[in-house]
Amino acid sequence: MAEQIRITAELLHVPNACPATAIIEKEKSRGCDLIVMASHGRRGLRKLLLGSQTSEVLVDGSAPVLVVQ
């Protein structure tokens, strides 16, 4: 789909790594313009008690993050 609208997108797989850490490392080493991640849509107290990889990337990364529910 990205190619059809002339957007360059790259999918990566980093085996045996913490997802958030690997995403942040690749974002920095490759100079990413945007990171797209999914969210489980937790709300309220469950959201506060349960950490997520998306939350970690939002806090520790430097590129914009598009969160898709």
Side-chain angles (χ1 to χ4, degrees):
M1 257 176 116
E3 290 176 359
Q4 291 175 353
I5 58 174
R6 298 184 200 143
I7 294 176
T8 303
E10 184 177 0
L11 304 174
L12 298 172
H13 174 73
V14 180
N16 304 318
C18 172
T21 302
I23 291 166
I24 293 167
E25 286 175 1
K26 292 298 178 184
E27 172 239 320
K28 291 178 181 176
S29 69
R30 293 178 177 256
C32 295
D33 296 325
L34 176 68
I35 297 170
V36 180
M37 296 185 72
S39 169
H40 293 292
R42 294 185 179 98
R43 300 185 195 288
L45 191 56
R46 277 186 81 189
K47 183 177 182 180
L48 292 174
L49 295 175
L50 297 172
S52 73
Q53 301 301 309
T54 303
S55 295
E56 192 173 330
V57 173
L58 281 166
V59 171
D60 295 333
S62 57
V65 179
L66 173 62
V67 180
V68 180
Q69 202 168 19

